[in-house]
């Protein structure tokens, strides 16, 4: 479905999981396997060059390979056959040593791990760019007061900087998690037919270590043919990052509604238009992010279901991962890339943010007045009184300040100046600025550690 790739999967991660790169990952395993076996004296060193020279994806026939895979049950079997035939045309003796000691799942799984390594590298860059973009926007809007919303209703004032800081806070945790999972996930798969490397006899562990070193992967304590937690953890990381950015996109799209109009997506010719309504400016970036987030949970469910692997080599669960994990990762890559573009080019209407605070005639600041009166009459009586005045303000379309200033139960305790002060959103931000400072400090610390 390449027509939708620019819309939903427009990141470097998509190329990593292209057909050519999938085949190349498997061929890189085969080249490294020949090198490792030769280094350990299992096969002649003279065959390394010719086998390695044929381990290039452009020397395979992908269409024939795909057709043959339908009968073989996986891509590795016809790949090894094509590779062996290609090597044989160069050196008949060398062809005898292609794929020595390995099984098809070793080829496919390790090839996938090599793709994951590239995906992690790209994702590290994207996460770092997202963190920097958010940091800049937070610094710019740390004092942009707006309505905080709970249950989709006005609650108390916050700043737009704090709303963005919540997203940054989560991304910093995802950045840290990525650093933690890489050593667990980037692990060689090499067990042979049943996970014992029996065909390599007493040299199995030695070859495995040499192979891991050649591919710059960690060596597993045991082959993980039917233990798929590493791939599940990888999928969960990408799904988690996408969901964090999906929450941001959901909030952004709500703030972009015509009646709210506090933010807007980047402006560009033809962007967000309608085929029938010239006035429309649709949140197309948010739509792409939320579309991916609608699909990812189902893909993640398949990854969980695929943990049910039978005995030493599985039937069905392993095969289900082949398409699902790349689909999930490339969708998450699209989310990261689109979110970055949205953050870098978003429009923020601070005037409308401030104006929207006033649409309830001061009711958003009712809690401040309640707490001030509670010092004189107790919390519950103060709450009941202010609640009644809030209802009047709505019913009579009057400012809350005017009703408070004329109420005989209020005036003995609060002057008009005090009431106006209590109803000013700028004076009711609590620890808003402190939270922002904490997140920005941690972002600066983690960024320094990366660079």
């Amino acid at each position: 479905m390449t027509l939708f790739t620019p819309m939903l999967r427009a990141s470097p991660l998509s190329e990593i999981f292209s057909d050519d790169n999938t085949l190349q990952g498997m061929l890189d395993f085969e080249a490294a396997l020949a090198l490792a076996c030769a280094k350990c004296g299992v096969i002649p060193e003279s065959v390394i060059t010719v086998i390695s020279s044929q381990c290039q994806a452009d020397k395979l026939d992908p269409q024939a390979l795909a057709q043959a895979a339908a009968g073989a049950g996986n891509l590795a079997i016809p790949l090894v056959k094509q590779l062996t035939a290609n090597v044989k045309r160069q050196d008949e003796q060398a062809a005898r040593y292609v794929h020595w000691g390995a099984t098809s799942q070793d080829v496919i799984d390790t090839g996938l791990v090599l793709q994951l390594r590239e995906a992690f590298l790209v994702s590290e860059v994207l996460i770092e760019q997202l963190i920097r973009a958010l940091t800049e926007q937070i610094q710019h809007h740390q004092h942009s007061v707006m309505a905080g919303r709970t249950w989709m209703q006005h609650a108390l004032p916050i700043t737009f900087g704090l709303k963005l800081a919540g997203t940054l806070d989560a991304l910093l945790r995802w950045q840290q998690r990525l650093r933690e999972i890489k050593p667990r996930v980037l692990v060689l798969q090499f067990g042979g037919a049943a996970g014992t490397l029996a065909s390599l006899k007493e040299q199995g562990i030695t070859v495995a270590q040499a192979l891991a070193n050649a591919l710059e992967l960690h060596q597993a304590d045991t082959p993980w043919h039917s233990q798929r937690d590493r791939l599940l953890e990888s999928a969960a990381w990408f799904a988690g990052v996408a969901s964090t950015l999906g929450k941001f996109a959901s909030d952004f799209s709500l703030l972009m509604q015509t009646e709210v109009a506090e933010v807007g997506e980047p402006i560009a010719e033809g962007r967000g238009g309608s085929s029938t309504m010239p006035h429309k400016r649709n949140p197309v970036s948010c739509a792409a992010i939320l579309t991916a987030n609608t699909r990812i949970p189902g893909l993640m469910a398949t990854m969980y279901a695929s943990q049910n692997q039978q005995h030493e080599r599985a039937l069905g669960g392993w095969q289900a991962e082949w398409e699902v994990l790349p689909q999930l990762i490339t969708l998450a890559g699209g989310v990261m890339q689109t979110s970055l573009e949205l953050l870098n080019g978003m429009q923020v209407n601070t005037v409308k943010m401030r104006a929207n605070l006033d649409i309830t005639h001061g009711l958003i600041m009712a809690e401040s007045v309640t707490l001030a009166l509670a010092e004189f009459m107790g919390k519950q009586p103060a709450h009941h009184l202010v609640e009644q005045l809030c209802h009047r303000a709505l019913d009579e379309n009057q400012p809350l300040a005017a009703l408070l200033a004329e109420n005989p139960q209020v005036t003995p305790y609060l002057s008009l100046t005090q009431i106006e002060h209590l109803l000013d959103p700028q004076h009711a931000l609590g620890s808003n600025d402190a939270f922002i400072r904490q997140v920005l400090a941690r972002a600066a610390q983690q960024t320094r550690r990366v660079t």
Side-chain angles (χ1 to χ4, degrees), residues 26 33 45 109 127 129 162 320 362-363 426:
M26 297 162 69
L33 176 62
E45 287 192 9
D109 282 350
I127 286 289
Q129 291 173 332
L162 182 62
L363 265 60
Q426 291 281 1

Side-chain angles (χ1 to χ4, degrees), residues 91-207:
D91 185 333
E92 188 168 341
Q93 181 71 8
R96 297 171 53 191
Y97 299 104
V98 172
H99 193 63
W100 194 270
T103 191
S104 56
Q105 189 167 352
D106 295 334
V107 184
I108 292 171
D109 282 350
T110 301
L112 177 59
V113 170
L114 295 175
Q115 288 176 290
L116 273 174
R117 181 168 63 191
E118 293 301 310
F120 285 156
L121 287 172
V122 169
S123 297
E124 282 181 317
V125 173
L126 284 171
I127 286 289
E128 183 65 26
Q129 291 173 332
L130 284 163
I131 288 170
R132 291 184 186 279
L134 276 164
T135 296
E136 291 177 8
Q137 293 288 9
I138 291 166
Q139 290 170 337
H140 187 66
H141 291 291
Q142 58 185 327
H143 302 304
S144 299
V145 182
M146 65 182 297
R149 294 169 172 90
T150 61
W151 287 46
M152 307 292 282
Q153 307 292 308
H154 278 205
L156 293 172
I158 64 169
T159 67
F160 190 51
L162 182 62
K163 181 179 282 290
L164 296 175
T167 302
L168 174 59
D169 192 23
L171 287 181
L172 289 169
R173 292 192 294 276
W174 287 120
Q175 184 184 57
Q176 187 62 36
R177 290 185 187 107
L178 180 56
R179 296 169 185 168
E180 293 166 357
I181 69 174
K182 285 170 67 177
R184 290 194 295 271
V185 169
L186 300 180
V187 173
L188 173 71
Q189 172 75 285
F190 189 50
T196 62
L197 290 177
S199 62
L200 293 172
K201 299 180 174 60
E202 70 280 357
Q203 291 181 288
I205 297 298
T206 304
V207 173

